[in-house]
Amino acid sequence: MATALHHLSDYDPATVPDASNMCFGIVVAEWNPDITGALLSGAMATLKQHGTLPENIHVKTVPGSFELIYGAHQMVLHGGYDAVIVLGSVIRGETPHFDYICQGVTQGIAHLNATQEIPVIYGLLTTNDLQQALDRCGGKLGNKGDECAIDAIKMAKF
Ligand code: DLZ
């Protein structure tokens, strides 16, 4: 979680492997586009900062966060990537829909990690309101996209 103790964009560069020979797939949900667009910008900038060539970062969009599972699975099967990142933002509404989507995506991505050959990095913001999401996509708590990029590089090396 991003808390006062953990800023999403803080990390020790010395612990991050060189990513110049790595290739990444990113799946981005279209719901809450201002949020997911900021997550994507952060992830791409951080991957490039660690050496990944722009042509080795492939981005696909899906309608909503629930479709991140299918999108990631297709990228895992057919992309030839070192790791895949999913980026989405689910904001709590008045119905239990939030819980079903969050649980579904979380379990779906966990299943891919347990059964497939490459890591899938979980970049789903699950927040109670818009401000909490803004705080985590480049606001006061950093950018979850940065964190996902670092995790993707580390897991690709793993
Ligand atoms: C339906 C829905 C709702 C209510 N809220 C969100 C959201 O906050 N974030 C998001 O990424 N997607 C949302 N969706 C869409 C679902 O993820 C999905 O696209 C549809 O249920 C169709 O499968």
Side-chain angles (χ1 to χ4, degrees):
M1 286 185 293
T3 67
L5 296 176
H6 178 65
H7 188 279
L8 291 161
S9 301
D10 279 352
Y11 61 93
D12 178 1
T15 67
V16 184
D18 173 43
S20 56
N21 289 319
M22 295 181 181
C23 188
F24 297 97
I26 305 180
V27 194
V28 191
E30 291 172 350
W31 264 75
N32 303 316
D34 291 347
I35 306 293
T36 60
L39 294 173
L40 177 61
S41 297
M44 293 193 59
T46 302
L47 290 174
K48 289 179 198 167
Q49 195 176 325
H50 288 275
T52 309
L53 299 174
E55 59 266 36
N56 288 337
I57 306 171
H58 300 168
V59 179
K60 299 281 282 186
T61 59
V62 293
S65 290
F66 196 74
E67 286 71 45
L68 291 171
I69 307 163
Y70 180 84
H73 195 192
Q74 293 306 307
M75 278 194 151
V76 166
L77 291 177
H78 306 298
Y81 302 110
D82 294 295
V84 169
I85 300 170
V86 300
L87 300 173
S89 163
V90 192
I91 298 174
R92 189 181 290 279
E94 294 178 354
T95 72
H97 208 88
F98 172 89
D99 301 293
Y100 290 113
I101 293 176
C102 293
Q103 286 172 19
V105 177
T106 303
Q107 289 173 10
I109 300 303
H111 182 71
L112 290 178
N113 277 290
T115 59
Q116 302 298 313
E117 298 295 323
I118 63 165
V120 179
I121 307 303
Y122 178 83
L124 185 68
L125 290 178
T126 59
T127 60
N128 290 321
D129 56 43
L130 176 62
Q131 188 58 53
Q132 288 180 342
L134 291 168
D135 289 345
R136 290 159 175 79
C137 69
K140 67 181 182 184
L141 295 174
N143 191 327
K144 183 83 177 167
D146 295 343
E147 182 192 63
C148 287
I150 297 301
D151 293 351
I153 294 168
K154 288 181 174 179
M155 289 308 295
K157 181 74 173 176
F158 184 95

